[in-house]
Amino acid sequence: MESPLPADPRDLPAPRPIRELPDELISQIAAGEVVERPASVVRELVDNALDAGARNIQVKLMAGGVRAIVVEDDGCGIPVQQLPMALKRHATSKIGSLHDLESVATMGFRGEALAAIASVSDMAIASRTAADAHAHRLDARSGELQPAARSRGTSVEVRELFFATPARRKFLKTDATELAHCVEAVRRHALARPDVGFAIWHEGKLVDQWRAASVEQRIADVLGEDFVADSRPFEHSAGPLALSGRAGLPEAARSRADQQYVWVNGRYVRDKLISHAIRSAYEDVLHGQRQPSYVLFIEIAPELVDVNVHPTKIEVRFRDGRAIHQSVRRAFIDALAQSRSADTAGVESAMAPLGFAPTLPATLYVAEPRPAYTAASPSSYAPAVPPTAEQVRLSLVQHEALWQPSSAGLPGAGLAASDAVPEVTRAAAPSAVAPAVPLPRLPDDDWPLGRAVAQIQGVYILAENRQGLVIVDMHAAHERVVYERLKARLGSAQIESQPLLIPVSFAATAEEVAAAEQHADTLAQLGLDVAPLSTRTLAVRSRPALLAASDLVALTRELLAEMAQFDASSVLERAQHEILATMACHGAVRANRQLTLDEMNALLRDMEATERADQCNHGRPTWRQLDMRDLDALFLRGR
């Protein structure tokens, strides 16, 4: 194969001289970073309008923004003598020193946007301050300044985008696609600034409009009432950090990540650290690759975040990323902890101590099956008769038998199986059977998941509540109950470790070796003993006892990568929970086990007192509600 270089160095082309680039070319290079498509122009111009104190912003588009973009605001305006300066590169009123740059509190600050946009389009600015008798209009290409008519504020007209760089224009999509990107850019601003009114026009027709409103109303207006109904509000503060927003419920997760919004000090951002923190909060309540929906507002002291790390200001860097990760994760975990059953009942969920004895009502009833219906029989249960103390004692023994999982395969290191579940078996129950006591009518606003009435194929529990019918997957529900209690019992205990006869060694990067040495104690709490053999080799000498069939090299690499990038304590907690989830799956009541009504009711009561009881450890739903309208529709009642 011939070398692409000449054999004789004397045949090399002469080097080009170093010279200063023309201002127009510099601006066009900057435009390549700042202006990707019409939506980029809309974002930059709306940023400027918000910095000017606007309370109403109009965005008018032609051909999806390719032919024309006009952004009008009612802000403070630009004095006439400063209009030519506004189009110069790196000219801005928002920063004047390095201290200002390190604590940016405005949406724009680089002073590049208007100059970059003007270099690739035909642009004009019309502006008027409160002190001016009339507005003035400046043509960016000719520099001509002339009087104009408009009220206080600024209008920026951008026509024929990329006319000076036709190659860039060929990369644009259809008008409908570009319009959708422009609308999305305005939606992001509208969500962050509910105190400002926004309107979007296309080809003279109103596309969307949002009037000034409260935060909750603006979220409902932009994302829809369904998002509000399928999400929970949250607030969390820690020192100079304040978090607020709404966390979407796991059952409302989507196939695409198209409803995930994060703002830092009002600036829409995409940040891997924050995304990882939120995803880890959802990890044991989401099924498969479903994507959660959320709105997150982060308020932090400006000096603790660097917004000057990306030309489009879409990325930020936090001074203390681990603290941000912990706070965001905790805020979402707390928001998702409450069971949906409390929402159904309209009452707060009582979080009882997470012991393994079942949570029972204050008055325990021993149920009997509903009697067969006849014309003479009542359609509801007979009035309740309080049980005797002996009946309560016998029923409690019977309930405790439900929570004894199979002990096969459960480890005992730090968190022994004997500590996790009481040693109670059905053999311990007396042979005497307590006399049946009729079950009372369901109390108002009590028992959100209702009263058990039957079991189907040893898999599902049917229960009746005030709304209608509740269907419970008993294995998935019990798995969540056991899992949450194992998590509470774990504390600082260490997962059982199994030494390997032959250590598993693998080639590692310098970063992986450093992470293994730095986080050796954290890895030990997970049952992993990882030691460096050289500067480029690691050896795994022990593994978690429950993960005998796992790929140790892949597991170790994943943990080391996360520990190097994210907070080690959250990685430790997540890995511990994965092991406990395996234990809970083994320990939960199995399918095809016939339960008594008392056992079913005990499980329902425990679900009501357990965090995240709406999903099992794998993210599958544990129960579903069918209200009377759903049931009537099945049988065409009322039609």
Side-chain angles (χ1 to χ4, degrees):
M1 181 177 179
E2 295 184 1
S3 172
L5 297 177
D8 189 347
R10 290 174 297 181
D11 295 335
L12 290 172
R16 294 183 179 181
I18 299 175
R19 59 177 181 267
E20 188 176 2
L21 296 176
D23 284 344
E24 184 176 8
L25 181 56
I26 293 173
S27 296
Q28 290 175 343
I29 293 173
E33 298 176 340
V34 176
V35 183
E36 300 174 0
R37 61 194 331 151
S40 305
V41 176
V42 172
R43 183 187 66 246
E44 295 288 351
L45 297 183
V46 174
D47 280 350
N48 287 341
L50 293 174
D51 286 340
R55 286 294 174 265
N56 286 284
I57 299 175
Q58 302 266 344
V59 178
K60 302 176 180 179
L61 307 170
M62 297 287 287
V66 179
R67 286 177 49 200
I69 301 172
V70 180
V71 176
E72 301 176 345
D73 67 66
D74 58 356
C76 62
I78 304 173
V80 58
Q81 63 273 18
Q82 295 183 21
L83 273 176
M85 184 65 66
L87 297 179
K88 291 185 176 295
R89 294 180 56 250
H90 304 303
T92 178
S93 62
K94 299 165 189 177
I95 60 171
S97 66
L98 180 61
H99 177 268
D100 295 338
L101 185 62
E102 292 176 346
S103 57
V104 174
T106 54
M107 300 297 292
F109 58 89
R110 292 171 177 267
E112 288 182 306
L114 293 180
I117 296 169
S119 69
V120 293
S121 67
D122 186 6
M123 192 176 81
I125 302 178
S127 190
R128 176 183 178 182
T129 66
D132 291 335
H134 56 80
H136 291 82
R137 185 179 186 274
L138 174 66
D139 187 288
R141 188 150 296 278
S142 65
E144 181 182 2
L145 185 66
Q146 56 186 5
R150 69 147 294 151
S151 57
R152 192 194 70 168
T154 303
S155 299
V156 181
E157 304 174 22
V158 178
R159 301 187 182 277
E160 302 301 333
L161 188 63
F162 297 137
F163 83 95
T165 53
R168 295 278 309 278
R169 194 162 186 168
K170 294 178 181 178
F171 286 92
L172 298 179
K173 306 298 181 182
T174 63
D175 292 352
T177 300
E178 297 301 334
L179 172 63
H181 284 288
C182 292
V183 172
E184 180 62 20
V186 180
R187 279 160 54 94
R188 294 169 182 171
H189 282 96
L191 284 166
R193 293 295 302 272
D195 58 318
V196 178
F198 294 86
I200 307 173
W201 300 78
H202 186 249
E203 307 285 355
K205 298 180 180 178
L206 184 64
V207 176
D208 248 323
Q209 183 176 24
W210 304 287
R211 302 185 185 279
S214 64
V215 175
E216 291 297 318
Q217 185 59 49
R218 176 59 61 85
I219 292 176
D221 291 342
V222 177
L223 298 182
E225 296 289 349
D226 288 344
F227 173 81
V228 175
D230 293 333
S231 62
R232 288 202 181 104
F234 64 86
E235 291 185 1
H236 180 83
S237 60
L241 179 67
L243 308 176
S244 62
R246 298 193 71 91
L249 297 176
E251 55 265 26
R254 305 163 69 89
S255 58
R256 297 187 300 134
D258 58 346
Q259 268 195 359
Q260 298 178 352
Y261 297 92
V262 179
W263 292 267
V264 176
N265 293 343
R267 186 188 307 278
Y268 176 81
V269 300
R270 295 193 187 99
D271 187 84
K272 293 181 179 179
L273 182 79
I274 297 174
S275 298
H276 181 273
I278 297 174
R279 185 70 194 187
S280 66
Y282 277 92
E283 63 189 355
D284 64 355
V285 294
L286 274 187
H287 183 58
Q289 298 301 314
R290 303 285 290 174
Q291 296 290 333
S293 301
Y294 52 80
V295 169
L296 171 61
F297 301 100
I298 300 177
E299 296 295 329
I300 188 173
E303 61 270 15
L304 299 181
V305 58
D306 184 4
V307 299
N308 190 27
V309 297
H310 194 276
T312 62
K313 306 185 290 289
I314 198 71
E315 298 177 6
V316 295
R317 183 184 296 116
F318 297 100
R319 180 173 296 179
D320 189 352
R322 294 191 174 184
I324 299 292
H325 187 278
Q326 286 181 332
S327 297
V328 171
R329 185 170 182 270
R330 176 50 51 189
F332 275 83
I333 286 176
D334 292 344
L336 298 171
Q338 182 178 332
S339 173
R340 187 165 47 89
S341 61
D343 301 335
T344 302
V347 296
E348 290 293 327
S349 175
M351 296 304 171
L354 295 179
F356 265 81
T359 305
L360 301 175
T363 305
L364 181 67
Y365 294 93
V366 181
E368 66 176 359
R370 181 186 293 269
Y373 177 81
T374 64
S377 63
S379 59
S380 61
Y381 289 105
V385 178
T388 65
E390 179 65 14
Q391 292 170 353
V392 172
R393 187 187 69 79
L394 296 178
S395 296
L396 182 58
V397 172
Q398 187 179 31
H399 278 287
E400 287 176 341
L402 173 63
W403 310 119
Q404 173 60 31
S406 170
S407 59
L410 291 182
L415 187 68
S418 58
D419 296 332
V421 185
E423 293 292 342
V424 182
T425 62
R426 283 189 177 273
S431 57
V433 179
V437 177
L439 192 68
R441 186 183 297 276
L442 188 68
D444 291 343
D445 293 329
D446 287 341
W447 298 359
L449 292 180
R451 169 186 58 200
V453 294
Q455 185 180 14
I456 300 179
Q457 300 292 328
V459 177
Y460 299 104
I461 295 173
L462 298 185
E464 175 190 11
N465 65 0
R466 298 185 66 201
Q467 286 72 40
L469 178 67
V470 174
I471 306 174
V472 177
D473 182 334
M474 70 181 195
H475 172 74
H478 191 212
E479 185 177 358
R480 170 60 71 178
V481 171
V482 174
Y483 175 48
E484 292 297 330
R485 288 173 176 169
L486 283 171
K487 285 162 59 176
R489 292 282 184 106
L490 176 64
S492 60
Q494 184 169 307
I495 299 297
E496 182 183 17
S497 178
Q498 179 183 5
L500 299 176
L501 292 176
I502 302 176
V504 178
S505 61
F506 61 95
T509 64
E511 291 79 7
E512 289 173 334
V513 173
E517 294 177 339
Q518 180 182 355
H519 302 291
D521 293 341
T522 302
L523 292 169
Q525 292 185 58
L526 296 172
L528 281 168
D529 181 5
V530 182
L533 295 181
S534 69
T535 57
R536 289 293 185 269
T537 308
L538 288 174
V540 182
R541 299 186 295 198
S542 66
R543 65 184 173 192
L546 261 186
L547 302 182
S550 62
D551 185 340
L552 277 183
V553 174
L555 172 65
T556 304
R557 285 187 184 278
E558 180 182 355
L559 290 174
L560 291 176
E562 288 198 49
M563 288 177 180
Q565 186 173 5
F566 306 110
D567 180 57
S569 62
S570 65
V571 176
L572 169 63
E573 183 181 359
R574 181 185 62 80
Q576 287 175 331
H577 289 175
E578 287 183 359
I579 295 174
L580 295 185
T582 303
M583 295 173 63
C585 188
H586 285 292
V589 62
R590 313 307 297 179
N592 299 320
R593 174 172 169 181
Q594 296 300 318
L595 305 181
T596 67
L597 287 177
D598 281 339
E599 291 172 330
M600 298 180 211
N601 280 312
L603 178 56
L604 296 178
R605 302 295 79 77
D606 268 350
M607 290 175 63
E608 293 163 355
T610 299
E611 295 182 345
R612 292 170 285 276
D614 299 334
Q615 288 81 29
C616 74
N617 314 340
H618 313 294
R620 293 187 296 105
T622 58
W623 66 282
R624 284 286 185 258
Q625 174 80 57
L626 293 177
D627 60 26
M628 292 305 297
R629 287 180 298 181
D630 297 328
L631 296 174
D632 289 343
L634 289 175
F635 296 97
L636 305 181
R637 290 178 62 89
R639 297 188 182 181

